[in-house]
Amino acid sequence: MAQAIGIVTTAGPMPHDATVTEARLVQPAVSVGLGALSGHLQFRGTLDLEGWTMPGGELTPGAYGEGYIDRRHPHTYAHELMLTAHDVLGRLGGPAHLSAAFGKGFVAFGSDDPMSRPVALYPIDHHLAQILEREVAIAGLAAGPAALEVSWFNGDEPEYPSEWPNGRRFGDSYALRGSVAPVRGVEAQVSYAEVKSPEHRDGAGPPQEKWSASVRVDRTFGGRPAYALAEYARTSEASGAFLFHSLVLEGAVQAGPVHPYLRLERTERPEEARTGDVFRTPRPPLDNSLLGITRWSVATAGASVTALTAGPRFSVRPFLEASVADVRAISGTFDVRAWYGSNTILSLSLGVRLDWGMAGHRMGRYGTGIAAGGDGMEMPMMEGP
Amino acid sequence: MKGRILLALLAAVGACRDASAPSTATGSVPDGLIVVSGDRQGLDSGATPSPLVVQLWNKGKPVAGAVVHWEVTRGGATISDSITVTDGSGTAAVTVTPGSAGFGQGVEAGVAGVPPVDFSLTLRRPFQVLGGGNNVAERYTSDLWLAKGYGYTGTWGFRSAAGNVIKVWQLGGGGAPALVGADTIAGVNTVSDLQVSPDSTLLVATGESGPGAGLYVYGLTDPAHPALLAQWSIASATQGLHTGTLAEIGGQLYAFTARDPSAPSLLTFRVQPDSLAKIVLVDSIAMPANYGIHDTFVRDGLLFVENWNSGMWIYDVGGGGLGGSPGHAVFIGSVVTQGGEVHNAWWFHDPVTNEKRYVFIGQEGPDVIGVSSAGDIHVVDVSDLSAPVEVAHFHLGTTEGPHNFWMDEQRQVLYAAYYNGGVVALDVSGTLSGDLGSREIAEIQPGGSGDTYVWGVMLYGGSLYATDMVSGLWQLTVP
């Protein structure tokens, strides 16, 4: 599988009342899945080239994480290298299925990675609702429509695309996720994680306590494939000194070759002092200070069109996407209008998604974390007509 | 007269009866003399202290008829009696009238053959605002230093303008600060630390967050217009020097600086503006990335490095007797105080007792600028520099934490900048142990609630000056 998105985004006002326009190749990824032992052993490897195509991040108003702000950070080159043993117990387990996964990849926490969701620009809550690019061991138990996963992983986030997880810290953090798929195409999950010092590689930073809950629907209504996600996430940092909440509602429908989508989001973001680059914050942080917390209320609407297909797997899908954000300070001295020039920030993106078998692939689930309802790892709504 | 003789005879009999040292306690109260009440009193002006009460125990039982000697140890207080006798419940008491020789009042009570006990009382007197304040609206204010009738303040981060400026203040006749100038440092977003050299000829500043990050040396021939003499660039857009401390050692001026992560290290420079090489890096010592070195304190050839979660590290840089020098610091000892987050320190030289026993450490917990902060002041006994030990702490509140310190050592007062808690003055006279909550002399939020976030304090010209991140430079009375 492979994909890439060529995108031109214009956004403003950005810091110091500037309008910024840039073109990037984002989410260029090649993903390989290999199986053995009749599928009981699977390998998933995903190479992500964003460190090469967008080393300075992707212009995304409101986004933050890993030292980037108002830009989405580039993913690590080794985005996933996961070995999964499925149904380890076999017949011994009866109706229950036990899986084990190990490698570098997503922690079993929260909702699907936005790379596999309809909206091109990532939501602001990416670091509240997902934990990724860690050295992780996951044990999962599924019985019928329900599944429980537990993950052990290193707490530290990557600082740059070629960096590997701090192996000395493996296991200093853990996560739990319970999922249930009561009927086909409907799935709910609740997750909890304790992440030690995510923003300081050597462990000197404050810990995070994270919650996530979501309901996801991926079904056909009236002959039209449709998708919807409702997600809540909460992160408490430094033993409650800082609290961040997020609520995301997103949906998409397939109407012939056209795929319109909508995302509504309200997310609270930490405001840190920036470096000489207005889109960067110090990593590791110099101390535990915040300038404040802002709340971003964002509406994003867009549509993609399947313009070209070749064979069963290749598609070219241009898209147009626009967002409007209302930004308010809810704590601290950070002055939104002084920094941006306005409380309202707009963005417009025009791009084309090139896909070879990756559209609809739900990223970040291994073993029993794959939808218990039987839809597997695919998001049919995202695939071409 | 006869009554006093009788009392003395009874006391003598009591003393003979209890001449031997107490045996191991068999009850819940240990044998010996204990404080019942009256210790750790904070006294507002005009308040009457509670009596000082002790009780003597032996073999699990209170001892009646024992002679208790009372002595004023500091502060010039007066006590109602210097000798009392324990009553039927083993209790003895005196009343105390505070003196005027210091904020800390100390009284010791002793019985022959058992360890004495101490009473500590602190007089509370207020701060007042004298001048300044609300005078830097466009930037967050950082550190300060005052010399030659002028004040120099740094700036931090971005408020509505970048924190790339050193502001120059002239102190008026009464000491009130008036802004007279500003020097811009190109390529930085924070002027994180400032200090004037001991001979008042140089102003040294550290810069962060930008390609211009590094060390800057200004001449103060005209103190109103600092003239840039030299700079040393760290050549990194994301790192910088977080703090710098000046010290004269062996006739040379040195700057001990804290390099930011991701390669935290102590960088020691020799500053010699009259030479061709004006700033010379003489030593570089890597520090644990936990998170890294935050600040330094230098005195008498000893260097105290504040190393966040790795604690406080002590080096000989010329005064520790281990052959150390600024170019070759020799490690002596370290301590990790409760909670880590070791941010700053002050080594107290007490001119009243001639002791150099205590180092005060500030802990900087998580904070939201202008709103909240966290952390405590920790007291470390460095009688043995190779094995420092924490002995006391001060806690202001759950949402207030300390930042930088200054001391009036003669009056045995620690002034602590306390972010949204304002400025706090602590009596640090006598022996320090346990919770120092009763040692608070005064507290003030110069800008008022919601407009106070004090970064640093400095005593100068009889006033206490405070830099507040959100409300600028203030002049305060001292209590």
Side-chain angles (χ1 to χ4, degrees), chain A residues 200 202 204 286 288-290 333, chain B residues 140 158 289-291 367-369:
Chain A
H200 192 282
D202 290 293
L286 300 181
N288 300 324
S289 297
L290 293 185
T333 57
Chain B
Y140 296 111
F158 187 96
N290 191 15
Y291 82 82
D367 42 58
V368 178
I369 306 297

Side-chain angles (χ1 to χ4, degrees), chain B residues 88-391:
Chain B
S89 65
T91 302
V94 296
T95 58
V96 59
T97 302
S100 58
F103 298 104
Q105 308 282 308
V107 176
E108 181 182 276
V111 171
V114 302
V117 295
D118 292 301
F119 290 83
S120 176
L121 298 84
T122 298
L123 306 183
R124 293 197 190 122
R125 300 293 181 265
F127 285 109
Q128 287 181 352
V129 173
L130 275 178
N134 296 311
N135 45 23
V136 184
E138 84 291 355
R139 290 175 168 89
Y140 296 111
T141 302
S142 63
D143 200 37
L144 81 164
W145 201 273
L146 299 110
K148 302 174 79 168
Y150 285 82
Y152 306 94
T153 59
T155 49
W156 184 92
F158 187 96
R159 195 174 186 181
S160 53
N164 58 352
V165 158
I166 298 174
K167 293 200 179 253
V168 183
W169 309 80
Q170 186 171 25
L171 305 182
L179 186 66
V180 295
D183 277 354
T184 300
I185 299 180
V188 303
N189 279 280
T190 288
V191 178
S192 45
D193 202 0
L194 295 165
Q195 187 171 349
V196 173
S197 59
D199 65 1
S200 300
T201 61
L202 300 173
L203 170 68
V204 177
T206 55
E208 287 179 308
S209 301
L215 190 69
Y216 290 81
V217 179
Y218 295 83
L220 293 181
T221 304
D222 177 359
H225 301 95
L228 183 65
L229 300 178
Q231 67 183 83
W232 184 91
S233 173
I234 204 162
S236 167
T238 56
Q239 293 187 13
L241 298 179
H242 198 61
T243 54
T245 305
L246 299 179
E248 274 186 5
I249 299 174
Q252 301 272 344
L253 181 65
Y254 294 91
F256 297 85
T257 68
R259 179 174 183 158
D260 292 330
S262 55
S265 48
L266 169 71
L267 300 182
T268 304
F269 299 92
R270 187 168 61 240
V271 178
Q272 40 194 30
D274 296 333
S275 302
L276 201 59
K278 300 182 187 305
I279 302 176
V280 178
L281 179 66
V282 299
D283 200 7
S284 174
I285 303 176
M287 291 293 160
N290 191 15
Y291 82 82
I293 175 175
H294 196 99
D295 201 354
T296 55
F297 185 89
V298 189
R299 193 169 193 175
D300 296 348
L302 289 174
L303 169 66
F304 299 82
V305 176
E306 287 73 72
N307 255 334
W308 210 251
N309 288 345
S310 293
M312 179 180 71
W313 292 19
I314 306 172
Y315 290 87
D316 172 7
V317 290
L322 296 177
S325 67
H328 177 67
V330 175
F331 178 79
I332 301 175
S334 67
V335 61
V336 181
T337 45
Q338 183 70 28
E341 298 169 328
V342 173
H343 169 273
N344 64 298
W346 185 290
W347 183 26
F348 176 28
H349 288 196
D350 190 336
V352 176
T353 64
N354 290 320
E355 288 184 333
K356 302 176 183 179
R357 183 178 175 187
Y358 296 121
V359 172
F360 301 107
I361 289 176
Q363 172 195 4
E364 187 179 24
D367 42 58
V368 178
I369 306 297
V371 176
S372 65
S373 53
D376 289 340
I377 296 175
H378 301 268
V379 185
V380 172
D381 189 323
V382 293
S383 300
D384 181 355
L385 287 168
S386 67
V389 59
E390 182 172 355
V391 295

